[in-house]
Amino acid sequence: FGTLFDYFTAVRGKFEPPVLKGSFFTYADRDEDYWSGYFTSRVFDKALDRKLEQVLYAASAMGASAEEMREPRRSLSLFQHHDGVTGTAKDHVVEDYARYMRNAINAVQEWMSNRVQMSTENASLRSCWKSNAPRSLGHFDCDVTQPTYVFNPLPVDQKCGDAIIPPHSTIQATLPCEEAGSENGADSVIKFDTTTGMMTHPLKEEWMVWKVQRGGAYLFFPGKMTEYLKETGEQVTIEEGGFVVSTPKWKRTIIEKKILDESGETTATVFDFIFKTKLETDNEEWFVRFTAPIANDGIFHTDLNGANFDTHHFRADLPIQSQVFPMPTLASIEDSSQRFTVLSEHAQGTASLQNGSIDVWLDRRLRRDDERGLGQGVRDNVLTRTRLRLLLETENYDGDPSTEFEITHLCKRMWDELNHPLEVFGTDKGEGKVPTNKGGEMSPDAVVEAAKALYQLDAEGGDNVVPFVYMVYKRVDDFKHAIDSLRNSDFPKESVPLIISHDGHVSEMVEYVETLKSEFNIIQIFHPHACYDHPKSFPGDAAELNEGYAGDTYGNPRSSWATCAKHHWTWMMKHVFDELEFDSTKLMVDEMFFMEEDYVVSPTIYETVTQGLYLANKNPNYFGVVLDITDGGVHRERKGNDWQEIAFRTGPMAIGRKTWQKIVNAKDEFCNRDEYNWDWSVVWLANKGLIPYKVLAPFIPQVQHIGLDGMHVNNEKATTDAGRLDKARLQKAAANWHIPQPFHGSGIVHVGEARKPKPEKPNGGF
């Protein structure tokens, strides 16, 4: 600060004002209300922000121009709002921020994928990072049996396994680049507690919980501090000798790194701690405490922005919440013997409340508002990953507490690698050539085994699963038959989610589903605009629906009997693909199987669905899989265990997120089509060339429609001989239903018979 006199004095001659360095953290607006909670609130979104920064940096290193990255950078900038990156926005705003960032990440990755495809002349390469929803944890999703390439965005070498990746280079590599345990050549110095799996040497690791009564998105008020395992009593699974430890809600993996200096000597100990946490209990704050044999005398360093640093001195006369500081990337303590530094790939809160210790917050969940403007608690926690890199250094740092803190060259290198890791590109799981009856890249037997391995049919649960989704209304008796058939099938009922989407709170249906929860892994969702619950409001028979409306294609007014089912289907698809979170730390969901309440299934339904998806995913020209080649009995069955390429018309189907996104991209055509049937609306999109029209179907139908009161069966508008014949066949098939026969696919696909649907007059009603 200065006056005009100071300014002109500086211009004309010597001017040496005193310098004050530091920050205003941690801020309190009254009494002991310190704003140290928001350092960690919505930590998942803080990590998503850093992921977007990461891919933007990589794209720039590949040669992306400012113009090409303008929109993704705008999405990143949007989140820098003081209620965005802080985690202090309302739930729906948080979702919106996440949607912008995820879309931006996907856009940048697509740009990079195109660049890698050109440089490698491999058109099948895609980014291997994928998330299932805006606030869903990203995961690796490439086929490691296919060629994989890595790009190093840094101006220095990075490692993938034993391979050295030169600066700004893309080369083929063997995955994984790293695994739990000690890197090749690293002499492990780690010791673990044999009961808990926690590290005991050279650092002490503790999983801790603050049980709090006050606080919210902004404020942290400490309550009772306890050890997580003692508090919860959860069973601990210890793997890899302690390098992997997990409970139902908390998992930790350690990678011990071998770090050499220019002379080939080891000068530091470096570990990566990778946490996956799912906090579901209100008024808890989770953190990990690391303790080293360091006498730091209450002196604690953090970074302000990844480049400047702040030094703090513990004060026993101030409350604990005032001793918690923001940690954008770094926290460090030291004495004359060694320095202990924790680096993080995203921002959170940190503290040093005991000599030799560093606490790093992992997540927080608060029931109440803290009266700072948000008007709600913070309870939208999702599965979150936190990667910390721990450095123990004994050389090349200045341990004098009177000097300004600076990081070492090794620390800067570790920071760069943590925040700008290798970008990995490979082939989507299931992509490649489809084996046909004319020969192919894989034998039919190999296809069958590959499909089983991908979806892990021989294991209980597994990473890749295909949830079954039932769209139900009030035909409870039919649904009981459907569940009986599913119960007697190969569907992994304890591990794979069974999603029930209710079109209203029909008491008998809701009560029946409740009885299934002890047997199946049920996820129950309810259409919020169901006509059953809201008969006189949109999309039900609201009076305003026909105000100024001239009528549908046939002059009919809008009516809920026609509109409600399509609205339910549309909401259901959007909810399960874009919004639904799956709880397990291992569950990966990219495809789902959809059917209505009045379909029974074959004993081999899960095997058939997963093999069909494996085959369909190999060809981008496929919409997905249907399970009834006869379209409800209208067409003839075939003999054998082969697959047929046909055009999509109707019936239970299995599709993936890519197909759903294509429907979303064509939403205007879908929603404006005067067609009350969701399936014929989809057929219309295929006719317009907006989505693929081809699907795969097993020779032997794997589902059977049993309902006699559906719209198609009771449709009295069949005016042609062909229409009347189709109607009669549907009625006969439904009246004489049976459990479909097993199907063990051969892996052979018969192609060439699918014909693009011709444009037809819509059925109206919408």
Side-chain angles (χ1 to χ4, degrees), residues 239-260:
E239 303 172 79
E240 304 292 335
F243 283 96
V244 180
V245 178
S246 59
T247 74
K249 302 298 179 186
W250 194 322
K251 180 178 181 180
R252 185 269 288 141
T253 301
I254 295 177
I255 300 170
E256 184 176 12
K257 294 186 169 293
K258 182 180 181 181
I259 305 298
L260 303 178

PDB file of all heavy atoms in Angstrom, residues 239-260:
ATOM      1  N   GLU A 239      -4.414 -57.691   1.822  1.00  0.00           N
ATOM      2  CA  GLU A 239      -3.885 -58.374   0.647  1.00  0.00           C
ATOM      3  C   GLU A 239      -2.472 -57.878   0.360  1.00  0.00           C
ATOM      4  O   GLU A 239      -2.067 -56.811   0.816  1.00  0.00           O
ATOM      5  CB  GLU A 239      -4.790 -58.116  -0.571  1.00  0.00           C
ATOM      6  CG  GLU A 239      -6.238 -58.534  -0.372  1.00  0.00           C
ATOM      7  CD  GLU A 239      -7.121 -58.083  -1.514  1.00  0.00           C
ATOM      8  OE1 GLU A 239      -7.095 -58.748  -2.557  1.00  0.00           O
ATOM      9  OE2 GLU A 239      -7.814 -57.056  -1.360  1.00  0.00           O
ATOM     10  N   GLU A 240      -1.765 -58.651  -0.445  1.00  0.00           N
ATOM     11  CA  GLU A 240      -0.405 -58.297  -0.863  1.00  0.00           C
ATOM     12  C   GLU A 240       0.480 -57.969   0.332  1.00  0.00           C
ATOM     13  O   GLU A 240       1.328 -57.069   0.283  1.00  0.00           O
ATOM     14  CB  GLU A 240      -0.439 -57.097  -1.829  1.00  0.00           C
ATOM     15  CG  GLU A 240      -1.300 -57.282  -3.056  1.00  0.00           C
ATOM     16  CD  GLU A 240      -0.741 -58.341  -4.010  1.00  0.00           C
ATOM     17  OE1 GLU A 240       0.478 -58.569  -3.972  1.00  0.00           O
ATOM     18  OE2 GLU A 240      -1.535 -58.915  -4.777  1.00  0.00           O
ATOM     19  N   GLY A 241       0.286 -58.702   1.440  1.00  0.00           N
ATOM     20  CA  GLY A 241       1.129 -58.508   2.609  1.00  0.00           C
ATOM     21  C   GLY A 241       0.907 -57.214   3.346  1.00  0.00           C
ATOM     22  O   GLY A 241       1.699 -56.847   4.216  1.00  0.00           O
ATOM     23  N   GLY A 242      -0.156 -56.479   3.016  1.00  0.00           N
ATOM     24  CA  GLY A 242      -0.434 -55.197   3.653  1.00  0.00           C
ATOM     25  C   GLY A 242      -0.429 -54.038   2.681  1.00  0.00           C
ATOM     26  O   GLY A 242      -0.876 -52.933   3.014  1.00  0.00           O
ATOM     27  N   PHE A 243       0.070 -54.241   1.469  1.00  0.00           N
ATOM     28  CA  PHE A 243       0.083 -53.166   0.478  1.00  0.00           C
ATOM     29  C   PHE A 243      -1.333 -52.795   0.018  1.00  0.00           C
ATOM     30  O   PHE A 243      -1.556 -51.703  -0.491  1.00  0.00           O
ATOM     31  CB  PHE A 243       0.942 -53.556  -0.725  1.00  0.00           C
ATOM     32  CG  PHE A 243       2.416 -53.445  -0.472  1.00  0.00           C
ATOM     33  CD1 PHE A 243       3.165 -54.547  -0.080  1.00  0.00           C
ATOM     34  CD2 PHE A 243       3.060 -52.223  -0.585  1.00  0.00           C
ATOM     35  CE1 PHE A 243       4.520 -54.448   0.157  1.00  0.00           C
ATOM     36  CE2 PHE A 243       4.421 -52.101  -0.355  1.00  0.00           C
ATOM     37  CZ  PHE A 243       5.163 -53.220   0.032  1.00  0.00           C
ATOM     38  N   VAL A 244      -2.293 -53.707   0.193  1.00  0.00           N
ATOM     39  CA  VAL A 244      -3.700 -53.424  -0.105  1.00  0.00           C
ATOM     40  C   VAL A 244      -4.527 -53.788   1.121  1.00  0.00           C
ATOM     41  O   VAL A 244      -4.470 -54.924   1.595  1.00  0.00           O
ATOM     42  CB  VAL A 244      -4.202 -54.215  -1.323  1.00  0.00           C
ATOM     43  CG1 VAL A 244      -5.670 -53.900  -1.591  1.00  0.00           C
ATOM     44  CG2 VAL A 244      -3.360 -53.916  -2.558  1.00  0.00           C
ATOM     45  N   VAL A 245      -5.264 -52.826   1.641  1.00  0.00           N
ATOM     46  CA  VAL A 245      -6.128 -53.035   2.802  1.00  0.00           C
ATOM     47  C   VAL A 245      -7.493 -52.446   2.480  1.00  0.00           C
ATOM     48  O   VAL A 245      -7.590 -51.331   1.942  1.00  0.00           O
ATOM     49  CB  VAL A 245      -5.551 -52.361   4.066  1.00  0.00           C
ATOM     50  CG1 VAL A 245      -6.487 -52.548   5.248  1.00  0.00           C
ATOM     51  CG2 VAL A 245      -4.178 -52.917   4.388  1.00  0.00           C
ATOM     52  N   SER A 246      -8.565 -53.183   2.805  1.00  0.00           N
ATOM     53  CA  SER A 246      -9.886 -52.672   2.471  1.00  0.00           C
ATOM     54  C   SER A 246     -10.919 -53.080   3.508  1.00  0.00           C
ATOM     55  O   SER A 246     -10.791 -54.104   4.179  1.00  0.00           O
ATOM     56  CB  SER A 246     -10.323 -53.165   1.085  1.00  0.00           C
ATOM     57  OG  SER A 246     -10.359 -54.575   1.029  1.00  0.00           O
ATOM     58  N   THR A 247     -11.930 -52.233   3.632  1.00  0.00           N
ATOM     59  CA  THR A 247     -13.148 -52.511   4.381  1.00  0.00           C
ATOM     60  C   THR A 247     -14.293 -52.222   3.412  1.00  0.00           C
ATOM     61  O   THR A 247     -14.060 -51.790   2.277  1.00  0.00           O
ATOM     62  CB  THR A 247     -13.259 -51.602   5.620  1.00  0.00           C
ATOM     63  OG1 THR A 247     -13.603 -50.270   5.201  1.00  0.00           O
ATOM     64  CG2 THR A 247     -11.961 -51.563   6.401  1.00  0.00           C
ATOM     65  N   PRO A 248     -15.539 -52.439   3.817  1.00  0.00           N
ATOM     66  CA  PRO A 248     -16.641 -52.144   2.880  1.00  0.00           C
ATOM     67  C   PRO A 248     -16.685 -50.698   2.388  1.00  0.00           C
ATOM     68  O   PRO A 248     -17.233 -50.440   1.319  1.00  0.00           O
ATOM     69  CB  PRO A 248     -17.882 -52.493   3.708  1.00  0.00           C
ATOM     70  CG  PRO A 248     -17.419 -53.569   4.634  1.00  0.00           C
ATOM     71  CD  PRO A 248     -16.019 -53.178   5.009  1.00  0.00           C
ATOM     72  N   LYS A 249     -16.130 -49.741   3.144  1.00  0.00           N
ATOM     73  CA  LYS A 249     -16.251 -48.327   2.765  1.00  0.00           C
ATOM     74  C   LYS A 249     -14.915 -47.616   2.575  1.00  0.00           C
ATOM     75  O   LYS A 249     -14.891 -46.445   2.222  1.00  0.00           O
ATOM     76  CB  LYS A 249     -17.064 -47.564   3.828  1.00  0.00           C
ATOM     77  CG  LYS A 249     -18.459 -48.099   4.060  1.00  0.00           C
ATOM     78  CD  LYS A 249     -19.313 -48.001   2.813  1.00  0.00           C
ATOM     79  CE  LYS A 249     -20.703 -48.561   3.056  1.00  0.00           C
ATOM     80  NZ  LYS A 249     -21.506 -48.603   1.812  1.00  0.00           N
ATOM     81  N   TRP A 250     -13.829 -48.301   2.799  1.00  0.00           N
ATOM     82  CA  TRP A 250     -12.526 -47.621   2.791  1.00  0.00           C
ATOM     83  C   TRP A 250     -11.492 -48.600   2.249  1.00  0.00           C
ATOM     84  O   TRP A 250     -11.356 -49.714   2.743  1.00  0.00           O
ATOM     85  CB  TRP A 250     -12.172 -47.209   4.222  1.00  0.00           C
ATOM     86  CG  TRP A 250     -11.043 -46.228   4.381  1.00  0.00           C
ATOM     87  CD1 TRP A 250      -9.900 -46.171   3.668  1.00  0.00           C
ATOM     88  CD2 TRP A 250     -10.958 -45.177   5.355  1.00  0.00           C
ATOM     89  NE1 TRP A 250      -9.100 -45.153   4.122  1.00  0.00           N
ATOM     90  CE2 TRP A 250      -9.728 -44.518   5.154  1.00  0.00           C
ATOM     91  CE3 TRP A 250     -11.781 -44.719   6.364  1.00  0.00           C
ATOM     92  CZ2 TRP A 250      -9.311 -43.451   5.925  1.00  0.00           C
ATOM     93  CZ3 TRP A 250     -11.366 -43.645   7.134  1.00  0.00           C
ATOM     94  CH2 TRP A 250     -10.151 -43.009   6.919  1.00  0.00           C
ATOM     95  N   LYS A 251     -10.743 -48.195   1.226  1.00  0.00           N
ATOM     96  CA  LYS A 251      -9.716 -49.052   0.650  1.00  0.00           C
ATOM     97  C   LYS A 251      -8.441 -48.230   0.462  1.00  0.00           C
ATOM     98  O   LYS A 251      -8.495 -47.069   0.072  1.00  0.00           O
ATOM     99  CB  LYS A 251     -10.168 -49.625  -0.695  1.00  0.00           C
ATOM    100  CG  LYS A 251      -9.138 -50.535  -1.358  1.00  0.00           C
ATOM    101  CD  LYS A 251      -9.664 -51.120  -2.661  1.00  0.00           C
ATOM    102  CE  LYS A 251      -8.644 -52.050  -3.302  1.00  0.00           C
ATOM    103  NZ  LYS A 251      -9.145 -52.628  -4.574  1.00  0.00           N
ATOM    104  N   ARG A 252      -7.306 -48.890   0.739  1.00  0.00           N
ATOM    105  CA  ARG A 252      -6.018 -48.212   0.593  1.00  0.00           C
ATOM    106  C   ARG A 252      -5.029 -49.136  -0.114  1.00  0.00           C
ATOM    107  O   ARG A 252      -4.895 -50.303   0.222  1.00  0.00           O
ATOM    108  CB  ARG A 252      -5.474 -47.801   1.964  1.00  0.00           C
ATOM    109  CG  ARG A 252      -4.191 -46.982   1.880  1.00  0.00           C
ATOM    110  CD  ARG A 252      -2.961 -47.850   1.929  1.00  0.00           C
ATOM    111  NE  ARG A 252      -2.724 -48.409   3.244  1.00  0.00           N
ATOM    112  CZ  ARG A 252      -2.293 -49.646   3.448  1.00  0.00           C
ATOM    113  NH1 ARG A 252      -2.076 -50.465   2.428  1.00  0.00           N
ATOM    114  NH2 ARG A 252      -2.084 -50.098   4.686  1.00  0.00           N
ATOM    115  N   THR A 253      -4.337 -48.577  -1.111  1.00  0.00           N
ATOM    116  CA  THR A 253      -3.304 -49.299  -1.849  1.00  0.00           C
ATOM    117  C   THR A 253      -1.999 -48.508  -1.751  1.00  0.00           C
ATOM    118  O   THR A 253      -2.007 -47.282  -1.877  1.00  0.00           O
ATOM    119  CB  THR A 253      -3.695 -49.469  -3.328  1.00  0.00           C
ATOM    120  OG1 THR A 253      -4.926 -50.186  -3.407  1.00  0.00           O
ATOM    121  CG2 THR A 253      -2.622 -50.211  -4.102  1.00  0.00           C
ATOM    122  N   ILE A 254      -0.888 -49.206  -1.552  1.00  0.00           N
ATOM    123  CA  ILE A 254       0.420 -48.550  -1.464  1.00  0.00           C
ATOM    124  C   ILE A 254       1.307 -49.036  -2.607  1.00  0.00           C
ATOM    125  O   ILE A 254       1.378 -50.232  -2.895  1.00  0.00           O
ATOM    126  CB  ILE A 254       1.117 -48.846  -0.119  1.00  0.00           C
ATOM    127  CG1 ILE A 254       0.328 -48.230   1.041  1.00  0.00           C
ATOM    128  CG2 ILE A 254       2.548 -48.296  -0.115  1.00  0.00           C
ATOM    129  CD1 ILE A 254       0.919 -48.543   2.400  1.00  0.00           C
ATOM    130  N   ILE A 255       1.975 -48.088  -3.254  1.00  0.00           N
ATOM    131  CA  ILE A 255       2.994 -48.387  -4.265  1.00  0.00           C
ATOM    132  C   ILE A 255       4.303 -47.777  -3.779  1.00  0.00           C
ATOM    133  O   ILE A 255       4.392 -46.563  -3.570  1.00  0.00           O
ATOM    134  CB  ILE A 255       2.607 -47.810  -5.634  1.00  0.00           C
ATOM    135  CG1 ILE A 255       1.275 -48.401  -6.110  1.00  0.00           C
ATOM    136  CG2 ILE A 255       3.711 -48.072  -6.657  1.00  0.00           C
ATOM    137  CD1 ILE A 255       0.699 -47.720  -7.319  1.00  0.00           C
ATOM    138  N   GLU A 256       5.302 -48.616  -3.562  1.00  0.00           N
ATOM    139  CA  GLU A 256       6.610 -48.146  -3.107  1.00  0.00           C
ATOM    140  C   GLU A 256       7.496 -47.903  -4.324  1.00  0.00           C
ATOM    141  O   GLU A 256       7.674 -48.792  -5.158  1.00  0.00           O
ATOM    142  CB  GLU A 256       7.249 -49.182  -2.183  1.00  0.00           C
ATOM    143  CG  GLU A 256       8.564 -48.737  -1.576  1.00  0.00           C
ATOM    144  CD  GLU A 256       9.111 -49.753  -0.594  1.00  0.00           C
ATOM    145  OE1 GLU A 256       8.592 -50.889  -0.552  1.00  0.00           O
ATOM    146  OE2 GLU A 256      10.066 -49.421   0.131  1.00  0.00           O
ATOM    147  N   LYS A 257       8.026 -46.693  -4.443  1.00  0.00           N
ATOM    148  CA  LYS A 257       8.764 -46.306  -5.639  1.00  0.00           C
ATOM    149  C   LYS A 257      10.274 -46.320  -5.403  1.00  0.00           C
ATOM    150  O   LYS A 257      10.749 -46.007  -4.304  1.00  0.00           O
ATOM    151  CB  LYS A 257       8.321 -44.918  -6.108  1.00  0.00           C
ATOM    152  CG  LYS A 257       6.874 -44.903  -6.592  1.00  0.00           C
ATOM    153  CD  LYS A 257       6.497 -43.570  -7.191  1.00  0.00           C
ATOM    154  CE  LYS A 257       5.162 -43.644  -7.895  1.00  0.00           C
ATOM    155  NZ  LYS A 257       5.201 -44.502  -9.093  1.00  0.00           N
ATOM    156  N   LYS A 258      10.970 -46.656  -6.456  1.00  0.00           N
ATOM    157  CA  LYS A 258      12.434 -46.624  -6.423  1.00  0.00           C
ATOM    158  C   LYS A 258      12.898 -45.319  -7.057  1.00  0.00           C
ATOM    159  O   LYS A 258      12.678 -45.083  -8.244  1.00  0.00           O
ATOM    160  CB  LYS A 258      13.018 -47.817  -7.177  1.00  0.00           C
ATOM    161  CG  LYS A 258      14.542 -47.885  -7.152  1.00  0.00           C
ATOM    162  CD  LYS A 258      15.053 -49.094  -7.915  1.00  0.00           C
ATOM    163  CE  LYS A 258      16.566 -49.178  -7.866  1.00  0.00           C
ATOM    164  NZ  LYS A 258      17.082 -50.344  -8.620  1.00  0.00           N
ATOM    165  N   ILE A 259      13.508 -44.457  -6.276  1.00  0.00           N
ATOM    166  CA  ILE A 259      13.934 -43.136  -6.740  1.00  0.00           C
ATOM    167  C   ILE A 259      15.451 -43.041  -6.645  1.00  0.00           C
ATOM    168  O   ILE A 259      16.034 -43.219  -5.570  1.00  0.00           O
ATOM    169  CB  ILE A 259      13.285 -42.015  -5.897  1.00  0.00           C
ATOM    170  CG1 ILE A 259      11.757 -42.170  -5.900  1.00  0.00           C
ATOM    171  CG2 ILE A 259      13.697 -40.656  -6.430  1.00  0.00           C
ATOM    172  CD1 ILE A 259      11.125 -42.058  -7.266  1.00  0.00           C
ATOM    173  N   LEU A 260      16.076 -42.765  -7.776  1.00  0.00           N
ATOM    174  CA  LEU A 260      17.535 -42.656  -7.820  1.00  0.00           C
ATOM    175  C   LEU A 260      17.950 -41.238  -8.168  1.00  0.00           C
ATOM    176  O   LEU A 260      17.250 -40.536  -8.918  1.00  0.00           O
ATOM    177  CB  LEU A 260      18.109 -43.622  -8.860  1.00  0.00           C
ATOM    178  CG  LEU A 260      17.763 -45.105  -8.690  1.00  0.00           C
ATOM    179  CD1 LEU A 260      18.377 -45.909  -9.823  1.00  0.00           C
ATOM    180  CD2 LEU A 260      18.235 -45.629  -7.341  1.00  0.00           C
TER     181      LEU A 260
END
